Amino acid sequence: MIEVKLHDVGEGMTEGEIAHYLVQVGDHVTTDQPVVEVATDKMVAELPAPVSGIVKEIIIPVGQTVQVGTTLLHIEASNASEVSRVSEPAPVAVAAPPAQASPSKRVLATPYTRKIARDHGIDIEAVTASDPSGRVSEDDVLRFVQAATTPQETATPIIEEVTYQETSPETIPFRGIRKQIAKRMTQSLYTIPHVTHFEEVDMTRLLALRAEWKAVGRNINVNAFFIKALIVALKEYPVFHAKLDETNACIRLEQDFHFGMATETPDGLMVPIIRHANQLSLTELHEQLVALQQRAQNGALRAADLKPSTFTMSNVGPLGSTGATPIINYPETALIAFHKTKKRACVDENDQIVVRSMMNLSMSFDHRVADGATAVAFTNRFVSLIEHPTTLLLELI
């Protein structure tokens, strides 16, 4: 009898929630066939069958959270030679890989989205995707369910008072990645005394420089400039590029710059990273940012993309945000968020009213590790580099 156990499907994973079984007792499975979906704090993954055979027993029920190494189900191998071959856990296939061509219609959707469709008895192929890429999201399925269950109002000539039948609210399963996000946010907020500092940045010169480069075919993502400026500021104020180690009573100043990019994906908020950002040029940063964004939106993030970061930034400006109090990505010391850039009337050094492109930023930091004055000095340094991008270029030499 072969045991299918929960294996580590991500960096530092210790537990996972059973999201859905893809087989039943008595089913015949083949080697590497997905048999169970497991939700971690970063992704929904499929565990494959290590051998061909018959599913004899399902041990752990759906919805239960178990530790790595727990046996989930038993498979009776159909070939004795396969039993001797299986000596180590089978590799994990990350959920929601890029779509592959097949003779039948293959809907782009994560396993969790498919689970919601199954729970409501919905054929996911009938759901219209709102995303231009064709990927069906959790919200698409829920809208489809609501449209199918909402009663149609009919005209009535009765003048008397109309009574309406109360409709029970729809429910969304609180499990998988969404539940893990909630646990991490709660851990951060209840562990770290948050303080949020706000500042504004004049983006006029930087936007002009980007436009100049774009005109000669060198388009650089604005986040690449932000990362470079943050690296300069963090080197001067390393307390914000640190982690508090209470057990050993010390503050660990990070030496490797792994930037976490808070990203909204079809599966919820994730923080993929750009590793060794201080060793990359502006062009290389731009290329990695574009590739990371595409993988996040397509549900194709790799385990290497989700390793722990040393500093996290979030650019919510394209969504229209003007301010926020972001929650720190525990156990880091700080998180900086960039908001919408818009033209405003400002007074220059000659007391003249001029139109400038202004952006708000908000920075949350751990008040156990740093003080407000240091946070102001740090953001002032960052602002000076962005407002005078030629000085930023000098720092890159």
Side-chain angles (χ1 to χ4, degrees):
M1 198 72 68
I2 300 300
E3 296 180 337
V4 178
K5 298 183 178 182
L6 175 62
H7 309 304
D8 187 350
V9 296
E11 183 75 17
M13 169 191 167
T14 59
E15 64 181 17
E17 179 185 331
I18 307 305
H20 177 66
Y21 282 101
L22 304 175
V23 295
Q24 298 178 353
V25 173
D27 286 354
H28 181 272
V29 297
T30 58
T31 303
D32 294 331
Q33 175 184 335
V35 293
V36 59
E37 292 174 357
V38 178
T40 74
D41 60 342
K42 296 178 179 177
M43 68 183 76
V44 176
E46 296 173 349
L47 299 184
V51 296
S52 299
I54 304 297
V55 178
K56 285 297 185 179
E57 182 183 11
I58 292 177
I59 301 173
I60 306 299
V62 171
Q64 183 170 329
T65 299
V66 296
Q67 299 295 314
V68 169
T70 302
T71 300
L72 308 181
L73 66 154
H74 287 138
I75 297 176
E76 184 178 38
S78 57
N79 190 329
S81 63
E82 286 196 275
V83 177
S84 61
R85 177 183 60 82
V86 179
S87 58
E88 295 184 356
V92 174
V94 178
Q100 298 179 350
S102 66
S104 60
K105 179 181 179 183
R106 173 64 176 172
V107 175
L108 290 172
T110 64
Y112 181 51
T113 300
R114 296 178 185 276
K115 175 66 167 54
I116 294 177
R118 286 194 295 269
D119 288 345
H120 289 88
I122 298 299
D123 181 0
I124 199 166
E125 293 186 0
V127 179
T128 301
S130 59
D131 192 286
S133 68
R135 176 173 294 278
V136 175
S137 68
E138 175 184 333
D139 291 337
D140 294 332
V141 174
L142 295 176
R143 279 194 293 269
F144 186 94
V145 172
Q146 185 176 11
T149 58
T150 301
Q152 299 294 322
E153 295 184 7
T154 56
T156 175
I158 301 176
I159 304 178
E160 299 177 1
E161 181 180 354
V162 180
T163 59
Y164 297 92
Q165 181 179 359
E166 293 294 331
T167 303
S168 299
E170 296 287 342
T171 61
I172 301 174
F174 185 61
R175 59 179 58 170
I177 290 179
R178 173 50 55 190
K179 185 176 180 179
Q180 296 300 327
I181 291 173
K183 289 173 62 177
R184 290 174 65 84
M185 294 298 100
T186 302
Q187 179 189 23
S188 176
L189 201 57
Y190 278 87
T191 303
I192 300 174
H194 283 58
V195 175
T196 304
H197 165 62
F198 299 91
E199 187 55 89
E200 61 179 9
V201 189
D202 185 348
M203 296 284 290
T204 307
R205 291 189 180 94
L206 178 58
L207 294 179
L209 178 62
R210 289 187 66 234
E212 181 181 343
W213 287 2
K214 186 175 181 179
V216 294
R218 300 299 298 274
N219 188 24
I220 301 295
N221 191 307
V222 70
N223 284 332
F225 288 95
F226 290 164
I227 291 174
K228 281 299 184 183
L230 284 170
I231 290 172
V232 174
L234 288 171
K235 287 180 178 179
E236 297 179 15
Y237 299 92
V239 70
F240 297 112
H241 191 238
K243 294 175 183 175
L244 176 61
D245 185 348
E246 293 186 276
T247 303
N248 296 298
C250 66
I251 298 172
R252 300 188 180 280
L253 304 180
E254 299 287 355
Q255 300 302 306
D256 296 319
F257 287 80
H258 304 319
F259 268 72
M261 310 297 296
T263 305
E264 185 66 27
T265 75
D267 295 321
L269 179 67
M270 293 189 178
V271 187
I273 67 166
I274 294 180
R275 295 180 60 78
H276 302 290
N278 57 314
Q279 299 178 18
L280 302 177
S281 67
L282 279 170
T283 301
E284 290 170 333
L285 278 173
H286 168 79
E287 293 170 350
Q288 289 208 23
L289 284 165
V290 171
L292 204 62
Q293 179 70 15
Q294 290 176 345
R295 290 198 296 274
Q297 294 304 317
N298 293 332
L301 288 172
R302 306 166 302 192
D305 295 329
L306 298 169
K307 290 185 176 182
S309 54
T310 59
F311 187 87
T312 300
M313 57 176 276
S314 174
N315 189 349
V316 291
L319 302 178
S321 168
T322 58
T325 54
I327 298 177
I328 298 168
N329 186 20
Y330 181 88
E332 295 170 17
T333 298
L335 184 151
I336 194 166
F338 304 109
H339 306 283
K340 180 171 62 176
T341 299
K342 61 181 181 179
K343 292 184 177 181
R344 298 207 308 258
C346 303
V347 179
D348 66 12
E349 61 275 9
N350 298 317
D351 292 335
Q352 300 295 313
I353 296 178
V354 294
V355 176
R356 311 293 289 179
S357 295
M358 304 299 296
M359 178 189 74
N360 293 337
L361 68 79
S362 54
M363 174 184 163
S364 293
F365 62 93
D366 188 339
H367 212 338
R368 300 172 301 174
V369 178
D371 298 319
T374 311
V376 172
F378 171 77
T379 54
N380 284 346
R381 180 59 171 138
F382 170 81
V383 169
S384 69
L385 293 167
I386 295 299
E387 291 188 342
H388 302 88
T390 51
T391 61
L392 173 59
L393 297 179
L394 288 174
E395 296 287 347
L396 303 183
I397 295 175

